[in-house]
Amino acid sequence: MKKKNVAFYTLGCKLNFSETSTIARNFKDEGFNRVDFSEKADIYVINTCSVTENADKRFKTIVKQAQKANPEAFVAAVGCYAQLKPQELADVNGVDLVLGATEKFKITDYINDLSKNDFGEVHSCEIEEADFYVGSYSIGDRTRAFLKVQDGCDYKCTYCTIPLARGISRSDTMVNVLKNAKEISKQNIKEIVLTGVNIGDYGKGEFGNKKHEHTFLDLVTELDKVEGIERLRISSIEPNLLKNETIDLVSKSRAFVPHFHVPLQSGSNDILKKMKRRYLRELYVDRVSKIKQVMPHACIGVDVIVGFPGETDEHFLETYNFLTELDISYLHVFTYSERDNTEAAEMEDVVPNNVRSKRSKMLRGLSVKKRRAFYESQIKTTRTVLFESENKEGYIHGFTENYVKVKAPWNPELVNTLHEVELTKIDDDGLVRFEFVKELAS
């Protein structure tokens, strides 16, 4: 019998990518053949996101893309948006199956019959039922893997739907994380990025309850000992959960790289309180100072939201000036968008969309300056680059351990290799040129 083809499309975060990979391996175990999303497939699986308005709109476009490739194909939606608004997705023309948070990893059980449905069939749970953990990791880009260590969130930030989409905070067992890391290391993958919804909360829910045996510090300590992994990167960690001991461990680590992504969301304490964040700006300054004290060359990325309800011009300037003075390397700027069933959506003093856009543009401009200044500070230093696998207009790109993006004329022999280089100059496109110092590894 001819193998059925399955194709996947992932919207959103690194966590979604790791989960798509795991679902794809389940299909492979069931005898399916994976093809690219642009090709003709029998089943198209779309892993959705609900963090921004854009992700909602893009879903319909992606369904159309699948239908264009094969009008008879079976289309399934999984992920955060599928949990939050299952009926809305089921009503999209062409969608046959919608699976919520607890069902997505059992998708192959639901696909007995691949005939098109007249309407989308929904299997979604009450989010309280999403209290068990499913481990996953992605192996797509050969140079880097996303390893999920934690899921869900117990924080109640007023703008966020993630606790509604993913449930309570829960963790993988230490044994399983280390097993997955070892499996990844055997695939000749040089870098693992740790991912989750709130990874600093690691340990909570490790045994299906709130009992703790391990902490995030324990996790990074043990992962640092796994042989065969050249690099480990912490994807994003809340400032209040990034402890001095973790920063110290990274500074002396064999494999953890000096790169932190620490969400701030606002530089105004008034707004942080309205957002129900669990820290004030003073703590954020303290975390940045500590990182730079022990790793002056560390790269620090920041998430920030503009246009939150009640954010006046003064509040925004407070954020802008705060970030200008802070020794950080780049920003991820999010324009606030109202999400159903969140406290913030009911708040007064809504910021007009044109003001939100203007503020976003200002912070994106600041991010360009910050990145440039950080790159300039790294010129004439010796770093290790891991080269990526894509040929982009005749160039190969790579990242140093502290996240400086470099480029060189395309050379397939460099793909997925680590080399020691001296950073020499910033090119016109903002990327960094270099000279090889010596070969490190192949």
Side-chain angles (χ1 to χ4, degrees), residues 50 54 82 84 154 187 216 286 303 313-314 336 345 363 366 395 431:
S50 69
N54 238 0
L84 288 173
D154 292 341
Q187 312 265 348
F216 184 67
D286 183 67
D303 285 341
D313 286 345
E314 288 73 24
Y336 171 75
L363 281 185
L366 178 62
Y395 286 94
L431 304 187

Side-chain angles (χ1 to χ4, degrees), residues 271 308-318 349 351 355 359:
I271 298 297
F308 188 78
E311 184 187 63
T312 61
D313 286 345
E314 288 73 24
H315 289 135
F316 173 70
L317 282 174
E318 220 182 320
D349 301 322
V351 177
V355 175
R359 289 175 185 173

Side-chain angles (χ1 to χ4, degrees), residues 174 177-178 194 202 214-227 232 234 245-250 253-256:
M174 180 76 85
V177 173
L178 295 174
L194 301 187
Y202 176 81
H214 298 107
T215 62
F216 184 67
L217 179 63
D218 296 335
L219 178 74
V220 291
T221 304
E222 290 308 309
L223 278 168
D224 202 30
K225 298 172 189 168
V226 176
E227 285 176 23
L232 285 155
I234 298 167
E245 294 82 358
T246 304
I247 297 170
D248 285 332
L249 181 135
V250 171
S253 160
R254 175 194 68 81
F256 276 95

Side-chain angles (χ1 to χ4, degrees), residues 166-185:
R166 284 187 169 270
I168 57 169
S169 179
R170 53 209 190 274
S171 308
D172 205 348
T173 61
M174 180 76 85
V175 170
N176 201 44
V177 173
L178 295 174
K179 178 176 88 62
N180 286 342
K182 284 166 189 160
E183 278 178 23
I184 294 167
S185 74

Side-chain angles (χ1 to χ4, degrees), residues 287-349:
R287 299 298 74 206
V288 170
S289 306
K290 171 65 183 172
I291 292 167
K292 287 293 184 176
Q293 179 197 329
V294 294
M295 289 169 276
H297 61 300
C299 176
I300 303 174
V302 183
D303 285 341
V304 62
I305 295 171
V306 295
F308 188 78
E311 184 187 63
T312 61
D313 286 345
E314 288 73 24
H315 289 135
F316 173 70
L317 282 174
E318 220 182 320
T319 296
Y320 188 90
N321 294 332
F322 180 70
L323 289 165
T324 301
E325 287 159 28
L326 213 52
D327 191 1
I328 52 152
S329 318
Y330 65 89
L331 304 170
H332 280 174
V333 184
F334 297 90
T335 306
Y336 171 75
S337 64
E338 285 77 3
R339 308 275 83 194
D340 289 347
N341 304 314
T342 58
E343 264 187 75
E346 308 298 317
M347 287 179 182
E348 293 174 355
D349 301 322

